[in-house]
Amino acid sequence: MLLQIAEPGQSAAPHQHKLAAGIDLGTTNSLVATVRSGEAKTLINSQGRDMLPSVVRYTADSVVVGDAAMASAVNDAENTIVSVKRLMGKGYNETLALKDKVPYQLIDQQGLVAINTVQGVKNPVEVSAEILATLANTASETLGGELNGVVITVPAYFDDAQRQATKDAAKLAGLNVMRLLNEPTAAALAYGLDSGQEGVIAVYDLGGGTFDISILRLRRGVFEVLATGGDSALGGDDFDHAIVGYLQQHTGEAELSHQAMRQYLTTARSIKEQLTDSDMVNFSLPVAGSQFSGTLSKTEFEQLVAPLVKKTIRACRQVLRDAGLTSDEIVKVVMVGGSTRVPLVRTEVATFFATEPLTSIDPDKVVAIGAAIQANVLVGNKADGDTLLLDVIPLSLGLETMGGLTEKIIPRNTVIPVARAQEFTTFKDGQTAMALHVVQGERELVEDCRSLARFELRGIPPLPAGGAHIRVTFQVDADGLLSVTAQEKSTGVQANIQVKPSYGLSDDQVATMLKGSMQYARQDMQLRLLREQQVEAERVLEAVSQALKADAALLSAQELTNINQALTTLAEVKQGDDTAAIKAAIEHTNTLTDDFAARRMDQSIRNALTGHNVDEV
Amino acid sequence: MNYFQLFNLPAKFDLDLTELGSRYLKLQKQFHPDQHSSGSERDKLLAVQQTANINDAYHSLKQPLMRAEHLLALRGLKISHEQRSFTDPLFLMQQMELREQLAEIDQSADPDAVIDTIERQLQQQKKQLLQQLATALDSETAEQDQQAADLIRKLKFFFKLQQELELIEQQLQD
C-alpha cells in the first residue's frame, strides 16, 4: 500500500467535506461546476442558467456581469468588455491586431494592454476577476458556504504570462486556486472517469478564441498528457469574423462602427448556429436606413471556414508526431467547445482520426465538469491515489545566448513538475556579472519567442573568460509556472527569480489592487496575513510532530533537541498576533528540519519500491 | 543521483521498460504535488522537487541513449564533459553521404520513396549500433566502456539525422 507520507497535512480535518469548485473561464462563456453526491454537475445561477456570458459591463457607478451585461453589448459596446480572455497576459503591442476587432478602446498601460471604460482604466485581470467572483458567488450560494478552493482551467497553449494573469485574477477575486488545469486535460478527466476508458485519446478543443489539441494516455487511474499543441489565436470567433467578412461583401459596408460590428457579429453567430441543422439561412441587416436581406448556404459557409478547419487538422498531425503516434493508435476523440458543433468540424476530425468523435457530454460543459472532478480530488474529498494527472509544459523554456539565439533548457511536452539545469561560463576576462534573459517558445531566434523575464547574477569572482561556471536551474511547478535560479559554482553566489512575466503583475500590484477593489475594502489585510501565518504554523507543527513520531530514529540526539525546542517556540509564538515573529519561527523550524525532511523522503522512496511485487501496485 | 536505484532496478542497459513505467507511476502516485495539496508550503515544495527528480530519472532511463550515458556516468565516464576527439574516417564518410541524400530529397521525382529508403537505412544502422552498445555496456570493462562512449557518439549522429529527416518530411507535407 501507499506510504502515509502525505498524511500530516491532511490530518487536520479528515472527515470534513470541503467545498471546491471547478471553473471554466471561457472566452465567450464561463461555467462553474462541483461534485455533489459523487456526481459532477454545472451550477445554475440566479438567472436560472449555468452558462455565464464572459461579459463585463462598466457603468459610472456599477459593474454588471453576464447576461445583463450581454444585453447592453450593442448599445453600450464601448463599456461592455467581451472576449477579455484574448487580452489576458498580453502586452499592448501584442493586441494591435485585435484593435479593429473589439468595440472597446484598448490602451497602453506601461506596456500592458488595458481598456478605457466610463469607470476608468480597467486591465484584463480586473475584468476577469469580476467574472470569477460572480461564478464563485453562484457556487457559495448553491453550496451554502465559502469555497475552500477552486481549479481554474486554461487553454493548454496559454503561456506563462497568460497563466500568471489568470492566477492574479483569481487572487483578486479572493479565491484560493489549487491548480490551473489545461482545458483539454479537464475534458479528458470528465470522460475518462465516466467510462473507465483505457488507452490513448485525443481531445479536440475548439473554443471561442483558442484551439487546443492534446493527446493523453489513460491507464489505471493515471492521466498522462503525452503531447499538446494548437493555436492560441484561432477559434469559433474567427468563424464569426469570416461570416462577417461575407456579410460585409454583400451589404457593401466596408467600414463598420463599433455598434454595427456588434450587430454583424450577433447575426454571424446566429447564422453559424442555424447552419448546424439547416442547409440555408436567411439574414437581414440594417444598411443606410433600410434593411438588407440575403442568404447563406451551408456549402458557402463551409467554404468560408474550411481554411480555418484545415489549420486545426494540421495541428493535429503535428501533435501526433510529437507524441510519436499515428492516428490509428487513437482509441477515442473527445470534442470540446461550442464550435465543435459545426458539422464540417466533426466530419473533418472523424476523417483524420478515422473514428467518430465522442459528444455525449455537452461540449460547452465538459471542461467545467472535469475541473470540478479535479477540484474535488485536490481539496482532499477523495482518497488519494485514486486518480492522478501528469501534465506537460506546452511551450519550450530557454535562455538567450550569444547572437540572440535561444538555448532550450526544457523542451515542450516535458512532464511537470520538472527541474533542469545547464552550465554556462563567462565570456570576458574578469567578468563579474551575467545577464540572463528567460524566453518561451519554439523558435530559434529570441526575437521570435516570448520574453518572460530578465535578471542578473552579480558577484561572480573575476576569472579569465570561461573560468567561472554558472549553473542555471529552471524549475516548473505543477501549475506550469516557472522559477529560475543562477548560481556561480565556486563561490555559491546565487540569484533567482520567480518568473513574473514582463506582462504579469507584481505581488505589490496585486496587493494594491486587492486593497483598492471595493469588494475587499472591508477586509482587514493585516488580519488576513496573520491568519495565514497561524494556519501555516499549525500545519508545520502538525507535520513535524507526525514526522518525529514516525522517523525520529533518523535524527541524532542533538538534532532532536534542537527541533523540539523550535517546535515549543513556534507553538508559543503562534498564540500571539505578531505575524512577522510567527513567520520567522516557521522559517527557523523549516531550516532545522530541512535535512530531516530530505532523509525521510529518501527513505520513503526506498521503501516504496522495496519488498513489493509490481502486481501489488 | 543513481536513477536505477531510484526505481530499484538493476543498473543494466537492457531494461524492462514496462516495469520501469509501472514503477514510475507508483512513485508519481505517491509523490506528485497533487497528493500533497493540503500540506504545508514546505511539503509542497519538497513534493515538487521530488517529483521533478522522478520525472527526470524516468525521462533519462526511458531513452536508450540517455540511459547509456547515465550508466557510463555512474561508472565515472562523462561523455558531455570529455573532449576526446573522434576519428573514424569511414563513419564520417558515411555521414556525409547520408547528408547529401537528405539535401537532395526535394529535387527528387518521388520524395516520399526517397524518404522511406533513407528512413529504413537509418533505422537499420541505429539498430545495429544499439546492439553493439548493449554488448559493450554489458561487459563492464574500462576498455569496453570507452567503446560504448564511441558508439553513443555515433548514435547521436543518427538520431540527429532522423530528426532532420522528419523535419523535411513535415515541410513536404505542409
Side-chain angles (χ1 to χ4, degrees), chain B residues 3-173:
Chain B
Y3 294 154
F4 293 98
Q5 258 172 28
L6 180 73
F7 292 105
N8 197 26
L9 287 165
K12 285 177 68 179
F13 182 68
D14 184 16
L15 197 63
D16 181 346
L17 290 178
T18 320
E19 180 69 36
L20 174 70
S22 66
R23 287 178 187 221
Y24 166 70
L25 290 186
K26 182 171 182 180
L27 285 183
Q28 279 286 7
K29 276 195 172 180
Q30 190 168 347
F31 291 97
H32 194 278
D34 282 1
Q35 314 289 23
H36 302 258
S37 58
S38 50
S40 70
E41 285 307 313
R42 216 245 327 242
D43 279 357
K44 288 186 207 167
L45 195 68
L46 266 176
V48 168
Q49 286 165 352
Q50 207 64 48
T51 317
N53 279 340
I54 294 167
N55 278 333
D56 224 25
Y58 178 59
H59 178 74
S60 303
L61 290 190
K62 210 170 47 169
Q63 294 165 339
L65 271 194
M66 292 179 81
R67 181 164 70 239
E69 278 193 57
H70 182 60
L71 254 182
L72 287 181
L74 291 177
R75 295 176 191 169
L77 191 71
K78 282 218 165 67
I79 297 199
S80 41
H81 294 298
E82 42 135 33
Q83 299 289 324
R84 221 172 89 111
S85 71
F86 140 84
T87 46
D88 181 342
L90 265 177
F91 178 78
L92 290 175
M93 190 74 91
Q94 180 198 28
Q95 285 295 314
M96 271 160 64
E97 275 169 19
L98 278 166
R99 274 190 188 281
E100 275 168 26
Q101 287 182 31
L102 283 189
E104 286 161 7
I105 289 176
D106 55 349
Q107 288 133 40
S108 97
D110 186 357
D112 285 342
V114 181
I115 288 175
D116 277 352
T117 317
I118 303 179
E119 168 96 37
R120 260 198 302 277
Q121 226 175 316
L122 291 182
Q123 292 292 5
Q124 201 196 345
Q125 294 279 352
K126 263 166 59 182
K127 207 172 145 195
Q128 264 180 23
L129 288 171
L130 279 172
Q131 271 163 1
Q132 292 173 26
L133 179 61
T135 319
L137 285 169
D138 269 355
S139 69
E140 294 192 43
T141 62
E143 192 189 327
Q144 283 299 304
D145 282 352
Q146 285 299 343
Q147 178 70 26
D150 274 345
L151 287 164
I152 291 174
R153 274 189 228 101
K154 285 184 180 174
L155 274 160
K156 279 188 174 168
F157 276 97
F158 280 104
F159 276 92
K160 209 171 241 160
L161 278 176
Q162 181 106 31
Q163 266 177 8
E164 281 169 35
L165 187 66
E166 273 165 24
L167 212 68
I168 293 171
E169 195 180 356
Q170 209 171 309
Q171 280 162 357
L172 284 173
Q173 274 175 15

Side-chain angles (χ1 to χ4, degrees), chain A residues 298-374:
Chain A
K298 190 178 232 166
T299 319
E300 285 171 307
F301 167 67
E302 292 187 343
Q303 276 166 3
L304 287 175
V305 301
L308 299 170
V309 180
K310 253 209 188 84
K311 238 172 141 177
T312 68
I313 298 295
R314 215 175 294 149
C316 292
R317 193 174 295 133
Q318 175 64 43
V319 81
L320 277 179
R321 213 175 275 140
D322 288 349
L325 296 168
T326 52
S327 57
D328 55 338
E329 288 172 86
I330 306 292
V331 296
K332 285 277 187 294
V333 182
V334 172
M335 297 295 253
V336 187
S339 305
T340 58
R341 291 205 178 85
V342 173
L344 180 70
V345 172
R346 290 196 179 177
T347 51
E348 290 285 311
V349 170
T351 311
F352 179 75
F353 288 105
T355 176
E356 211 46 52
L358 285 179
T359 49
S360 61
I361 303 182
D362 185 334
D364 286 320
K365 297 181 186 171
V366 62
V367 166
I369 287 174
I373 291 170
Q374 182 69 357

Side-chain angles (χ1 to χ4, degrees), chain A residues 84-265:
Chain A
V84 68
K85 191 172 174 179
R86 287 191 164 195
L87 305 177
M88 289 293 269
K90 292 278 171 82
Y92 176 73
N93 289 334
E94 293 176 289
T95 58
L96 291 179
L98 282 173
K99 247 191 129 144
D100 299 329
K101 290 191 180 176
V102 297
Y104 39 83
Q105 194 193 348
L106 299 181
I107 59 162
D108 186 342
Q109 193 185 37
Q110 293 152 2
L112 298 172
V113 66
I115 304 136
N116 215 356
T117 75
V118 64
Q119 213 183 87
V121 174
K122 300 286 170 189
N123 63 45
V125 169
E126 289 172 292
V127 179
S128 300
E130 296 290 350
I131 301 170
L132 287 171
T134 307
L135 293 166
N137 234 342
T138 300
S140 346
E141 275 169 19
T142 319
L143 301 175
E146 286 290 304
L147 292 173
N148 293 91
V150 295
V151 166
I152 301 177
T153 59
V154 291
Y157 232 56
F158 254 25
D159 64 26
D160 218 79
Q162 291 165 304
R163 283 167 200 267
Q164 194 67 56
T166 307
K167 268 200 141 174
D168 290 345
K171 212 167 171 185
L172 191 59
L175 298 174
N176 166 32
V177 185
M178 297 183 293
R179 170 63 39 85
L180 295 180
L181 184 61
N182 289 331
E183 285 162 10
T185 314
L189 271 173
Y191 272 103
L193 289 185
D194 221 34
S195 60
Q197 180 81 44
E198 300 250 313
V200 182
I201 64 166
V203 182
Y204 180 99
D205 178 356
L206 189 57
T210 52
F211 170 65
D212 287 324
I213 174 75
S214 294
I215 309 292
L216 294 96
R217 180 162 51 215
L218 276 66
R219 46 174 177 176
R220 288 182 291 178
V222 179
F223 287 67
E224 213 177 334
V225 181
L226 299 178
T228 181
D231 191 332
S232 56
L234 172 68
D237 292 358
D238 296 301
F239 288 23
D240 301 341
H241 284 288
I243 301 176
V244 168
Y246 173 92
L247 297 177
Q248 280 180 287
Q249 267 178 26
H250 285 74
T251 60
E253 286 199 310
E255 295 282 321
L256 294 177
S257 68
H258 285 161
Q259 199 175 332
M261 179 55 131
R262 196 56 72 94
Q263 196 149 26
Y264 271 63
L265 276 172

